[in-house]
């Protein structure tokens, strides 16, 4: 078992592991998270098969697009984190996708009304005005987003009690979409059980999903990590809850 190994060994292994891209296979057997009931990748695959030009914003390592069975003639993805860009280019080569490195602020480097479909899984921020601008009339934006207070239990295990979450509320996303001239046609929410079986899985997750504990470092949070390690060993697991919402908006 992983937890037969000591704290320092598990943490060192997780610190040395690579975290680029947006795949989570390193956590196999060490952490699990329920999947949202709507099947985002399946929805995206079906939509891509029915359009001529599509854009994926914040593609990560291109993991979702790389699996689509019928990509459109024009498939473009953007990514802002430099280590992810070569990963995405490698993954999307097989489906004819083009990866564009972008900055962390708008605008998007595309002409007006360039795409029939814009998709995004877990965007850092949604630039609603830019999404509306690059969509053709009648085009759609489909996105799975992180909800408020996701894995809050883990954040508080490291940082202590936190105030109520102020960001990522689905109702605010609806208001922002409509303010940009889009019509929201679908909104769904889900709370998903997330289980960590060893402290190495926690460290790797916090290195990858950086907004969970902003500024996370092992040295800076070692005392909290040791306490959490003791808890995992005593209880056999640490349980948190991820929150997701699916939003679809259409350009008028």
């Amino acid at each position: 078992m992983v937890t037969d190994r000591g704290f320092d060994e598990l943490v060192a292994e997780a610190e040395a592991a690579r975290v680029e891209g947006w795949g989570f296979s390193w956590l196999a057997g060490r952490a699990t998270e329920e999947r949202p009931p709507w099947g985002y990748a399946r929805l995206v695959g079906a939509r891509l098969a029915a359009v001529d030009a599509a854009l994926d914003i914040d593609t990560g390592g291109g993991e979702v697009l790389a699996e689509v069975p019928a990509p459109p003639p024009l498939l473009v993805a953007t990514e802002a984190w430099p280590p992810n860009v070569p990963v995405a280019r490698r993954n999307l080569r097989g489906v004819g996708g083009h990866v564009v490195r972008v900055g962390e602020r708008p605008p998007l480097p595309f002409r007006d009304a360039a795409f029939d479909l814009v998709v995004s899984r877990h965007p850092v921020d949604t630039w609603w005005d830019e999404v509306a601008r690059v969509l053709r009339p009648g085009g759609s934006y489909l996105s799975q987003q992180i909800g408020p207070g996701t894995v809050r239990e883990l954040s508080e295990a490291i940082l202590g009690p936190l105030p109520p979450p102020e960001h990522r509320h689905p109702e605010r996303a609806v208001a922002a979409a409509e303010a940009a001239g889009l019509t929201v046609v679908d909104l769904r929410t889900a709370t998903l059980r997330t289980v960590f079986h060893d402290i190495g899985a926690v460290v790797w997750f916090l290195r990858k999903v950086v907004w969970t504990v902003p500024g996370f470092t092992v040295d800076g949070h070692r005392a909290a990590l040791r306490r959490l390690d003791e808890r995992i060993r005593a209880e056999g697991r640490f349980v948190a809850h991820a929150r997701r919402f699916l939003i679809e908006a259409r350009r008028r």
Side-chain angles (χ1 to χ4, degrees):
M1 293 178 61
V2 172
T3 49
D4 289 339
R5 298 157 60 191
F7 172 86
D8 290 332
E9 181 183 354
L10 292 171
V11 168
E13 178 188 29
E15 278 195 292
R18 302 171 72 94
V19 293
E20 69 269 20
W22 202 239
F24 287 78
S25 59
W26 193 87
L27 293 177
R30 306 178 73 156
T32 59
E33 181 180 285
E34 290 181 302
R35 299 290 89 193
W38 46 77
Y40 175 75
R42 175 181 52 80
L43 290 175
V44 168
R47 300 299 178 84
L48 289 174
V51 300
D52 294 324
L55 169 67
D56 183 23
I57 298 174
D58 287 347
T59 195
E63 291 83 3
V64 173
L65 293 190
E67 300 299 324
V68 299
L74 177 63
L75 182 60
V76 182
T78 67
E79 177 57 31
W81 195 44
N84 280 349
V85 173
V87 178
R89 286 176 175 158
R90 183 171 62 249
N91 286 339
L92 297 185
R93 192 174 298 127
V95 293
H98 306 276
V99 179
V100 178
R101 180 179 171 184
V102 296
E104 296 181 355
R105 298 286 184 273
L108 291 167
F110 308 110
R111 61 178 172 80
D112 296 357
F115 300 101
D116 305 298
L117 175 69
V118 177
V119 299
S120 188
R121 182 181 68 163
H122 305 169
V124 177
D125 294 297
T126 302
W127 303 340
W128 289 105
D129 288 340
E130 283 296 282
V131 168
R133 181 183 65 79
V134 301
L135 275 174
R136 294 169 180 167
S140 293
Y141 174 70
L142 180 66
S143 178
Q144 178 176 292
Q145 306 214 356
I146 296 167
T150 195
V151 292
R152 182 184 181 85
E153 301 94 335
L154 179 56
S155 301
E156 293 193 328
I158 303 299
L159 298 173
L162 297 170
E166 296 181 359
H167 306 292
R168 300 189 176 278
H169 291 275
E171 298 82 3
R172 294 184 184 179
V174 170
E178 293 178 345
L182 303 173
T183 300
V184 175
V185 297
D186 195 5
L187 180 70
R188 311 181 212 177
T189 63
T191 299
L192 312 166
R193 192 170 186 263
T194 305
V195 182
F196 297 90
H197 294 286
D198 73 87
I199 199 63
V202 169
V203 169
W204 188 88
F205 181 88
L206 293 177
R207 291 181 58 227
K208 189 177 188 73
V209 188
V210 295
W211 51 81
T212 307
V213 176
F216 171 78
T217 65
V218 168
D219 288 342
H221 300 88
R222 189 173 295 273
L225 290 171
R226 284 195 178 277
R227 289 192 297 270
L228 185 53
D229 177 58
E230 292 171 0
R231 179 174 173 180
I232 292 172
R233 292 176 190 274
E235 300 177 5
R237 64 185 62 83
F238 178 79
V239 179
H241 295 86
R243 288 170 176 81
R244 301 284 184 266
F245 66 92
L246 181 80
I247 185 168
E248 182 177 2
R250 192 165 296 148
R251 183 178 171 185
R252 302 178 187 127

